[in-house]
Amino acid sequence: MRRRVVITGIGTIAPGGLGTKAFWELLTSGRTATRRISFFDPSPFRSQVAAECDFAPDREGLTPQEIRRMDRAAQFAVVCAREALSDAGLGPHELRPPRTSVVIGSAVGATTSLEREYVVVSDGGRLERVSHEYAVPHLYGYLVPSSFATEVAWAVGAEGPTTVVSTGCTSGLDAIGYATDLIREGSADTAVAGATDAPISPITVACFDAIRATTPRNDDPEHASRPFDRSRNGFALGEGAAVLVLEEAERARRRGAHAYAEIAGFASRCNAFHMTGLKPDGREMAEAIRAALDEARLDGTDIDYINAHGSGTKQNDRHETAAFKRSLGPHAYRTPVSSIKSMIGHSLGAIGSIEVAACALAIEHRVLPPTANLHNPDPECDLDYVPLVAREQRTSAVLCVGSGFGGFQSAMVLARPDRRAA
Amino acid sequence: MSTLTMTDLTKLLRACAGDAEHADLDGDVLDETFADLGYDSLALLELSGQIKQRYGVALPDDAARVTATPRQFLALVNSLS
Amino acid sequence: MNRAVITGLGVAAPNGLGVDAYWSATLAGVSGIGRITRFDPSGYPAVLAGEVPGFDPAAHLGPRLLPQTDHMTRLALVASDAALADAAVVPQRLHEYAMGVVTASSSGGFEFGQRELEKLWSGGPQQVSAYQSYAWFYAVNTGQISIRHGMRGPSGVVVADQAGGLEAVAHARRRIRRNTRLVLTGGVDGSICPWGWVAQLAGGRLSGRDDPGTAYLPFDARACGHVPGEGGAILVAEDLDCARERGARQVYAEIAGYASTFDPAPATGRGPALRRAVQLALADAGLRPADIDVVFADAAGVPALDRSEADAISAVFGPGAVPVTAPKTMTGRLYSGGAPLDLAAAALSIRDGAIPPTVNVGQLAPGIEIDLVRGAPRRVPVAAALVLARGYGGFNAAMVLRALS
């Protein structure tokens, strides 16, 4: 009999409020957390908007040494992992270490710490032969971001299969899919899986400026992220993390764990077209959706909510609208779709996990988060995007999709945990 | 800045986006589309960045969309400088 | 359950560009380690690396790819071409969704990234290239390989330091078991630039010796760290039935077993988990220790790590009971490329009945009881090979390759 995987714990750090309670409160309020970049002076940049987390590591239970050695993204991941374990009702001695896996997604690794250290060792970019004497001891952990998985494994006591997954902007979905596979194949019974990114740093802002991917709506940061809207002009860079506890369903049931949702299906495809560009037809995302539905043994008509990638670029929103229509047919018009990037920006590798968390909470609380800032839908984006206001709705099967640089297209189906076994 | 010529453009394109794979940029390509020459929107963004840095001319965000050929691109740049 | 086999190899190694050049150099004990040439290393505490010789990217890759790729991505693309050619696979003839790409990375396109950081901090944001948005990130090799060959099936990227290369190939096997027909997998790495060098130095494991003959001596009494290198291997992994159906010209080996574990946190005071990974991998392959003909060691070159690896091997196989080798003494440690290159060497050792030697290692450190192959290659039938890989921070991975009977 096929092993099934459920979500039993959630930990989140998102712009607008730390911890899952604040996260869900923001999403259902329809408020946005995008603002003028405050981490450094943004005036030399084209896009000066970001969704930042007001995160003070010393107030989140991290010790001085942890704070010193860990990149901000690693700090997010550890704090989220602890919240998730607590939420799952699992104390430190209740996990079986060899049967516990850690899979953490990240698109850009320790970019923020790397840039900070680069400025020092290169003396402000002056030196090509940078100075080893000014290098901090933890620099290796920034060079190779598998250190994020190491920190989480140490924090939770995991000794099973452990890795970082780094597939750009689908890392968050892919890491959870990866961990689900590990449990299904029997390599682990429990996984601490999610994703994190803290990319709000000059080099990241500059590189998205160079390809005009981010919104230059600097005079109105609160309303800058406008997925599906006619006036959308790029994504708002964000940061954050979400980590989930995933458990083999039978074990979770036996210990009386509360399950938010089952991870019923997951699939990924590549568009093999262009490293950053998307064709308008959405065919490979549609194929990923079809394969995820297949694995979930569900039909497109079973889906009652879609959490979109919805980054707010001209090309993305058009691309994925086409993908929904292609994969769900006429049912796409009857299915509410929303993008929480409208509220918390696009945190690159992290956002897929944050969105899975939002889907699990939507199933649990029977409320769909809205798409904020959607006042004038693009005529090409003619589906029901739950504009502005959260909507009470009971859902049984939710589709969460993501799309990323490199051509990655991923889709996950989450099901209400009490649905009949397929 | 003096007028940007096809020769200047060819040099810039080669430097920032690589030589054309199947066409001869030194030949008569003024009215070939960038797409036919093998340059995607990213290449044109890179080219726009170079133009800004070297000549101080800022091209609008939709420059790649409205200038399909080298001739049109040169006309746009020279009209703004 | 679908069986996953290796049908093609593409290699970019410091002692040979191309699988034939690599293997003949490796059997002959010829090392590619030398003083760094990609930048001037004088003044740094470590000056040696394994650099891939004679690589002319313009000879292999179109001009449009060059500005948008880091050096290591170029090596990866060439290795992916070579792997497909070796397997005699024409991607256009397979269904687009039936082919995937899963690579390991450790630091992405770091050299490209250093140049862009320098432009930003010395010249301002507008100097940053449009290509920075993807030329450096960890997923770049998978993305570029998938585009180059039109592979639209399930793909992935893992980062687990030097253990990631085995995890990537294991994930390729997972995909094949779930009906993807063919996966290009492995890893190619390289961060031999001043910024990458300083970051690697910070890990505290680089050898400070400047003589290539004595710098990287795993298991040796004089072990004092490793020498890094660039390169790696891309492998064609296929479903066995599909490979047979298309008349694959060779099947090097089956990916018969795999396991990964993570070391207990330092605070617990409990020992490392490499031994458990080996035991689980053997069990996964349905093999006993006596069935293994060679162990390709992780070979950290750091005394405590060498000792713990040797102890794990002795505990599973018995002291000195199985031939152990580390051809990476001829290339340096290649991070995400290291374990895939060891898999290539293991596959070739199975094909040729020849275990490549470990070079430069003299007297073994006290307490290390392994049968380390040195000098000439050992000519014995190899039916099953075990490849070990450990990553900084506690990652352990073990993979068994087995000849098809």
Side-chain angles (χ1 to χ4, degrees):
Chain A
M1 201 168 59
R2 194 169 79 148
R3 280 160 68 91
R4 299 166 73 146
V5 179
V6 292
I7 299 171
T8 57
I10 299 176
T12 57
I13 284 176
L18 307 182
T20 302
K21 192 153 169 286
F23 167 62
W24 187 240
E25 203 273 309
L26 180 86
L27 290 194
T28 50
S29 72
R31 287 195 318 272
T32 67
T34 47
R35 66 190 186 200
R36 183 173 171 79
I37 291 174
S38 73
F39 291 170
F40 50 90
D41 175 17
S43 35
F45 298 88
R46 174 178 176 271
S47 175
Q48 300 169 8
V49 173
E52 301 172 328
C53 294
D54 292 319
F55 175 85
D58 54 323
R59 291 206 297 268
E60 299 302 322
L62 294 170
T63 71
Q65 289 184 5
E66 287 174 330
I67 294 167
R68 175 60 65 92
R69 75 167 183 262
M70 284 198 246
D71 176 82
R72 185 177 172 83
Q75 294 170 9
F76 287 172
V78 167
V79 171
C80 286
R82 289 178 178 153
E83 184 190 4
L85 274 187
S86 168
D87 186 42
L90 286 169
H93 302 292
E94 286 167 88
L95 292 175
R96 283 176 56 215
R99 299 292 300 165
T100 303
S101 165
V102 168
V103 183
I104 300 296
S106 171
V108 298
T111 280
T112 293
S113 296
L114 282 172
E115 184 164 25
R116 182 189 67 236
E117 296 307 317
Y118 170 80
V119 170
V120 175
V121 301
S122 70
D123 206 20
R126 228 177 25 86
L127 303 169
E128 198 224 329
R129 280 161 36 81
V130 303
S131 164
H132 64 282
E133 281 153 349
Y134 280 87
V136 294
H138 323 296
L139 187 52
Y140 189 86
Y142 303 150
L143 174 76
V144 187
S146 40
S147 56
F148 294 0
T150 299
E151 295 289 350
V152 172
W154 286 351
V156 308
E159 296 169 20
T162 292
T163 188
V164 156
V165 163
S166 190
T167 43
C169 299
T170 57
S171 300
L173 277 169
D174 295 347
I176 294 171
Y178 200 98
T180 300
D181 270 351
L182 288 174
I183 294 176
R184 286 226 189 102
E185 77 179 11
S187 297
D189 299 318
T190 306
V192 176
T196 181
D197 263 316
I200 303 172
S201 194
I203 188 67
T204 314
V205 176
C207 84
F208 289 130
D209 274 357
I211 57 171
R212 317 271 205 269
T214 36
T215 172
R217 197 182 297 279
N218 305 319
D219 57 344
D220 189 11
E222 238 182 281
H223 306 110
S225 176
R226 304 185 174 188
F228 307 113
D229 193 275
R230 196 192 296 244
S231 63
R232 68 188 186 276
N233 58 9
F235 68 84
L237 185 63
E239 62 169 359
V243 175
L244 313 180
V245 175
L246 306 181
E247 289 183 68
E248 190 274 312
E250 202 29 51
R251 289 179 70 87
R253 193 194 58 77
R254 267 189 271 119
R255 77 169 181 92
H258 159 258
Y260 288 90
E262 177 184 356
I263 298 178
F266 170 73
S268 77
R269 297 290 182 269
C270 281
N271 68 18
F273 166 65
H274 192 272
M275 289 297 284
T276 60
L278 294 168
K279 285 177 302 167
D281 65 11
R283 70 187 281 276
E284 293 83 15
M285 178 182 273
E287 175 60 24
I289 292 171
R290 188 206 58 74
L293 286 169
D294 224 42
E295 179 171 290
R297 296 175 198 172
L298 289 175
D299 191 75
T301 53
D302 294 316
I303 296 297
D304 39 30
Y305 166 60
I306 302 176
N307 185 284
H309 184 66
S311 57
T313 65
K314 281 271 184 276
Q315 69 168 4
N316 175 78
D317 299 357
R318 188 188 321 136
H319 166 267
E320 79 176 313
T321 296
F324 299 152
K325 292 175 183 172
R326 213 177 161 107
S327 55
L328 267 49
H331 185 67
Y333 285 94
R334 298 191 293 268
T335 309
V337 178
S338 68
S339 164
I340 66 173
K341 293 183 179 71
S342 60
M343 295 176 273
I344 60 170
H346 184 3
S347 45
L348 308 184
I351 196 69
S353 290
I354 297 175
E355 286 164 354
V356 172
C359 290
L361 293 165
I363 290 174
E364 171 86 0
H365 297 297
R366 305 177 182 209
V367 174
L368 308 183
T371 303
N373 301 326
L374 181 56
H375 297 280
N376 294 298
D378 181 344
E380 275 192 89
C381 300
D382 56 348
L383 304 178
D384 169 14
Y385 300 104
V386 194
L388 308 178
V389 177
R391 185 183 303 172
E392 283 188 10
Q393 181 167 316
R394 184 185 185 283
T395 50
S396 296
V398 167
L399 174 67
C400 189
V401 298
S403 182
F405 284 4
F408 300 97
Q409 312 294 326
S410 298
M412 181 171 284
V413 176
L414 279 79
R416 174 166 289 281
D418 54 15
R419 77 175 175 130
R420 256 204 329 268
Chain B
M1 145 198 145
S2 58
T3 314
L4 191 74
T5 66
M6 186 63 207
T7 308
D8 299 323
L9 184 62
T10 298
K11 218 161 107 185
L12 275 176
L13 260 180
R14 280 190 174 131
C16 74
D19 206 349
E21 301 225 354
H22 305 297
D24 177 11
L25 281 184
D26 298 315
D28 180 16
V29 296
L30 270 171
D31 296 302
E32 298 286 333
T33 63
F34 284 112
D36 282 345
L37 292 171
Y39 293 99
D40 59 13
S41 58
L42 225 50
L44 293 178
L45 280 169
E46 190 61 10
L47 181 62
S48 301
Q50 290 293 312
I51 300 263
K52 176 83 183 4
Q53 274 178 59
R54 283 162 201 262
Y55 303 112
V57 175
L59 294 170
D61 276 3
D62 64 352
R65 212 167 36 83
V66 303
T67 62
T69 66
R71 188 189 295 278
Q72 290 169 5
F73 189 88
L74 289 169
L76 178 63
V77 173
N78 288 321
S79 75
L80 292 170
S81 64
Chain C
M1 182 151 65
N2 295 342
R3 296 168 69 181
V5 294
I6 298 172
T7 55
L9 302 173
V11 166
N15 63 346
L17 177 59
V19 68
D20 294 338
Y22 163 70
W23 190 232
S24 55
T26 296
L27 289 176
V30 172
S31 167
I33 289 173
R35 189 179 167 83
I36 292 170
T37 64
R38 286 191 78 75
F39 64 92
D40 174 11
S42 39
Y44 291 116
V47 297
L48 300 178
E51 297 174 323
V52 175
F55 179 59
D56 175 18
H60 304 273
L61 303 172
R64 298 277 295 103
L65 268 175
L66 300 180
Q68 58 174 287
T69 48
D70 181 273
H71 170 61
M72 66 95 194
T73 297
R74 297 167 182 178
L75 290 171
L77 288 170
V78 170
S80 77
D81 289 353
L84 288 169
D86 187 41
V89 167
V90 178
Q92 293 76 11
R93 295 208 193 116
L94 296 181
H95 194 282
E96 59 187 336
Y97 293 129
M99 304 179 284
V101 182
V102 179
T103 64
S105 175
S106 67
S107 48
F110 216 69
E111 187 180 275
F112 193 105
Q114 177 179 354
R115 285 198 298 271
E116 295 299 317
L117 281 166
E118 188 174 302
K119 286 198 279 172
L120 168 61
W121 284 94
S122 61
Q126 297 185 23
Q127 306 258 342
V128 171
S129 159
Y131 301 121
Q132 170 64 3
S133 60
Y134 61 84
W136 83 270
F137 79 146
Y138 308 93
V140 62
N141 288 356
T142 286
Q144 289 282 22
I145 291 172
S146 92
I147 290 169
R148 187 170 179 80
H149 301 297
M151 298 180 163
R152 298 191 165 87
S155 295
V157 183
V158 293
V159 181
D161 196 61
Q162 177 104 2
L166 290 189
E167 182 68 31
V169 177
H171 198 60
R173 182 177 72 155
R174 277 183 207 116
R175 303 296 357 151
I176 288 169
R177 284 172 161 174
R178 309 271 297 276
N179 300 321
T180 302
R181 287 181 59 140
L182 179 151
V183 182
L184 271 183
T185 182
V188 172
D189 220 332
S191 42
I192 303 178
C193 62
W195 176 215
W197 201 242
V198 162
Q200 289 173 74
L201 281 165
R205 293 183 177 179
L206 297 202
S207 167
R209 295 209 179 104
D210 58 10
D211 165 24
T214 58
Y216 176 32
L217 305 173
F219 306 114
D220 191 298
R222 300 163 296 162
C224 63
H226 73 263
V227 169
E230 63 180 17
I234 300 293
L235 321 176
V236 177
E238 276 187 86
D239 170 80
L240 174 59
D241 289 339
C242 293
R244 283 181 169 146
E245 204 182 281
R246 73 169 179 90
R249 76 154 82 112
Q250 77 241 330
V251 173
Y252 286 96
E254 179 175 5
I255 303 167
Y258 175 75
S260 72
T261 61
F262 196 79
D263 287 345
T268 64
R270 286 188 287 115
L274 177 64
R275 175 184 177 175
R276 188 159 58 82
V278 172
Q279 289 166 331
L280 289 170
L282 289 175
D284 188 40
L287 294 178
R288 299 156 307 151
D291 298 319
I292 300 295
D293 299 305
V294 58
V295 176
F296 284 78
D298 173 64
V302 170
L305 293 171
D306 286 346
R307 180 60 190 267
S308 71
E309 179 170 31
D311 285 351
I313 294 171
S314 295
V316 174
F317 295 95
V322 65
V324 176
T325 190
K328 55 172 64 80
T329 44
M330 294 177 251
T331 61
R333 286 177 71 80
L334 307 187
Y335 302 101
S336 66
L341 188 60
D342 277 344
L343 288 173
L348 294 163
S349 73
I350 289 172
R351 181 190 74 181
D352 294 350
I355 299 174
T358 302
V359 301
N360 300 328
V361 172
Q363 182 169 7
L364 299 188
I368 290 191
E369 300 175 299
I370 55 173
D371 171 18
L372 194 64
V373 176
R374 285 170 280 182
R378 201 172 294 182
R379 306 269 171 192
V380 289
V382 176
L386 174 69
V387 177
L388 304 181
R390 290 177 300 182
Y392 188 95
F395 302 87
N396 304 295
M399 180 167 274
V400 178
L401 295 189
R402 176 177 54 202
L404 276 193
S405 41

